[in-house]
């Protein structure tokens, strides 16, 4: 992709997990996570098509440290599907923390995709759960709707935005991450790992100002 790009009618804006629990005061706060709301609101106005994602866990979800005796948040464990970081309880279905931020104003959003609802498996990506095999249905939705380019923003840059972007690219979609409309959690080199992966895969990172 060139340095500057123009939004086209067939582009979709994927807004990842802009929820109370990922903002300061929430249960899994992303530092300055609340700062993504204003740029996302502005940027979204330029899209005909917007999809929102919502992390949506049942109580006692296996990604919660509290579900594993003697384990603490941010440790990793082996799950049947691979290594899993353990999190504080967060985004529990129907709680205030799981709600999308009340100041997220994207009235035209046409789909809210919930993920992480299977009790025994986490789902960072909006496309596949953490076993990397179980689809959420989003790829089919985007394909059927004829969207071929995805712009991503939201929380967290180094987890759900990262894995969603990588899977979008694997699905054959053209991907652009709007960096200044994301914030990162930053545990155990996650930020460096995300940046390295984007560079290796040729996933394009833009500032909102570079999108004309
Ligand atoms: C996320 C950790 C756990 C995210 C969700 O939205 O990035 N991170 N659940
Ligand atoms: Zn989660």
């Amino acid at each position: 992709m060139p340095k500057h790009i123009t939004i086209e009618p067939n582009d979709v804006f994927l807004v990842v997990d802009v929820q109370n629990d990922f903002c300061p005061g929430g249960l899994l706060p992303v530092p300055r996570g609340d700062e993504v709301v204003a740029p996302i609101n502005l940027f979204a106005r330029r899209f005909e098509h917007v999809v929102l994602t919502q992390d949506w866990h049942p109580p006692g979800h296996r990604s919660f440290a509290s579900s594993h005796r003697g384990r603490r948040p941010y440790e990793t464990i082996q799950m049947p599907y691979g290594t899993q970081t353990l999190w504080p309880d967060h985004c529990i279905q129907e709680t205030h923390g799981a709600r999308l931020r009340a100041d997220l104003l994207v009235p035209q959003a046409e789909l809210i995709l919930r993920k992480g609802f299977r009790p025994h498996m986490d789902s960072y990506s909006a496309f596949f759960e953490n076993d990397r095999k179980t689809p959420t249905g989003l790829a089919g939705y985007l394909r059927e709707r004829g969207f071929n380019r995805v712009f991503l923003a939201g929380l967290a840059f180094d987890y759900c935005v990262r894995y969603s972007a990588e899977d979008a690219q694997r699905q054959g979609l053209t991907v652009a991450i709007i960096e200044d409309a994301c914030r990162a959690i930053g545990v155990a080199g996650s930020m460096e790992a995300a940046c390295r992966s984007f560079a290796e895969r040729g996933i394009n990172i833009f500032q909102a100002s570079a999108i004309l």
Side-chain angles (χ1 to χ4, degrees), residues 55 65 113 145:
D55 209 36
L113 182 108
R145 296 297 311 280

Side-chain angles (χ1 to χ4, degrees), residues 35-150:
E35 292 178 7
V36 304
V37 175
I40 286 173
N41 286 348
L42 261 180
F43 197 60
R45 285 205 230 159
R46 303 162 56 187
F47 286 81
E48 207 172 311
H49 303 288
V50 181
V51 171
L52 312 177
T53 69
Q54 189 172 26
D55 209 36
W56 194 250
H57 301 307
H61 191 257
R62 296 297 283 174
S63 75
F64 298 166
S66 64
S67 302
H68 304 266
R69 191 191 309 266
R71 296 300 186 147
R72 305 193 43 84
Y74 308 107
E75 291 179 8
T76 55
I77 58 159
Q78 292 309 312
M79 299 275 251
Y81 54 79
T83 304
Q84 170 72 49
T85 299
L86 294 175
W87 304 106
D89 290 25
H90 66 278
C91 295
I92 295 174
Q93 294 164 0
E94 299 296 354
T95 61
H96 172 77
R99 289 209 184 101
L100 297 171
R101 285 275 300 210
D103 52 355
L104 181 70
L105 297 176
V106 190
Q108 79 274 37
E110 58 196 49
L111 173 69
I112 300 176
L113 182 108
R114 288 172 168 171
K115 61 182 180 60
F117 51 80
R118 285 190 174 76
H120 297 285
M121 187 154 48
D122 208 359
S123 186
Y124 295 150
S125 164
F127 293 88
F128 288 95
E129 307 209 14
N130 282 11
D131 64 356
R132 320 304 304 135
K133 288 199 269 280
T134 307
T136 63
L138 184 60
Y141 178 85
L142 298 181
R143 199 174 300 122
E144 195 167 2
R145 296 297 311 280
F147 303 138
N148 38 37
R149 207 160 59 155
V150 183

Side-chain angles (χ1 to χ4, degrees), residues 16-17 22 28 55 57 87 90 115 122-124 155-156 159-161 185:
V16 178
D17 296 0
F22 294 127
L28 175 38
D55 209 36
H57 301 307
W87 304 106
H90 66 278
K115 61 182 180 60
D122 208 359
S123 186
Y124 295 150
L155 304 171
Y159 285 92
C160 290
V161 175
I185 298 180

